[in-house]
Amino acid sequence: MRKTPPRATAEAPPGSPNALPVEPREFVTLLAVDFTGTYQVYLAAKDERIKMTRLSMSLLAAPFAAAVALASAKVIRPDALAAWESVPWYLFATVAAFGLLNVLPFLRLIEAVNAHMRTARALNNFRLLYVLPLKDHFSALGWSPNLPVDPRYPETYAPLAWPGINVMMLALVNGSYIAVGVLGLIGAEPTPALLLVIIGLLALIHYFVYYVRANVSRQRRLPHNPYHFPNVET
């Protein structure tokens, strides 16, 4: 009589390649830990983005607070802030300085997104540990974990996603602050065309930094792998 190979289900005999290490009902605990881990990763990513956005907004508000404080202390006349030529040089220096300082939360936001996306990829790869053996078991239950199993997802470089839009808006604001501050310090006439060109160039530099750092997972040196496990991360 012909021997049929065991199916890749919970009924596979012990010792076979498709045998489950534990009973399917015991994987409920693993599923709960998996869902909790995924939730914690995205919660940490959201919290990091909010913190960096708040820090950035605080830095960008500092020049306005300085101008209000100087005007309240009568160090400068309030009407001096109405014309470009009458604004003191140190206010332009403050705008440029805080524009440059705001690059720090900009970079930290990029690195935080990379770290959380790589963690999510690792969870997706880990999920294959139980999704493949339990595929038939889940089908029989009419249920699916409804979680991604692709270790190449999600992408770290996603300019149209919320983290990418957040980064690009910071790039535009940083470029505007630096452009206004530098033009005011050198006494150049701030024509709309000149402002647009300088802000655009500075925003492109920020975008280049974002593009390179967001794709760092494809460029970074991999750690030593003495067991020669295949690396599935892109």
Side-chain angles (χ1 to χ4, degrees), residues 16-30:
S16 66
N18 294 324
L20 293 176
V22 294
E23 292 296 325
R25 62 177 178 271
E26 298 181 25
F27 273 82
V28 175
T29 303
L30 182 58

Side-chain angles (χ1 to χ4, degrees), residues 7-198:
R7 295 176 57 194
T9 62
E11 291 76 16
S16 66
N18 294 324
L20 293 176
V22 294
E23 292 296 325
R25 62 177 178 271
E26 298 181 25
F27 273 82
V28 175
T29 303
L30 182 58
L31 283 167
V33 173
D34 190 3
F35 273 101
T36 302
T38 303
Y39 175 76
Q40 292 298 329
V41 168
Y42 286 102
L43 190 65
K46 180 181 179 181
D47 184 63
E48 189 77 21
R49 289 197 298 268
I50 292 176
K51 286 181 178 178
M52 289 301 104
T53 303
R54 287 175 177 172
L55 175 60
S56 178
M57 295 298 103
S58 299
L59 293 175
L60 294 175
F64 295 97
V68 171
L70 291 174
S72 300
K74 299 182 179 180
V75 177
I76 58 175
R77 300 191 317 274
D79 58 351
L81 301 175
W84 178 275
E85 299 79 9
S86 58
V87 175
W89 66 270
Y90 46 83
L91 281 183
F92 285 118
T94 303
V95 172
F98 277 94
L100 290 172
L101 190 61
N102 200 48
V103 175
L104 295 178
F106 171 82
L107 295 176
R108 183 67 190 94
L109 184 61
I110 295 173
E111 296 301 325
V113 170
N114 288 345
H116 295 134
M117 294 303 102
R118 287 197 295 268
T119 304
R121 290 178 181 182
L123 286 173
N124 295 347
N125 191 34
F126 166 77
R127 198 168 294 121
L128 291 172
L129 176 67
Y130 68 86
V131 168
L132 289 179
L134 290 176
K135 181 178 63 174
D136 293 341
H137 180 73
F138 289 155
S139 299
L141 295 176
W143 180 82
S144 171
N146 198 28
L147 290 170
V149 294
D150 187 358
R152 300 168 298 179
Y153 173 85
E155 287 286 343
T156 55
Y157 173 68
L160 296 182
W162 163 238
I165 294 175
N166 197 359
V167 168
M168 294 311 302
M169 290 299 101
L170 284 182
L172 188 60
V173 174
N174 288 359
S176 302
Y177 270 58
I178 297 172
V180 170
V182 172
L183 287 178
L185 282 175
I186 65 177
E189 184 66 24
T191 61
L194 181 60
L195 279 174
L196 287 176
V197 169
I198 296 178

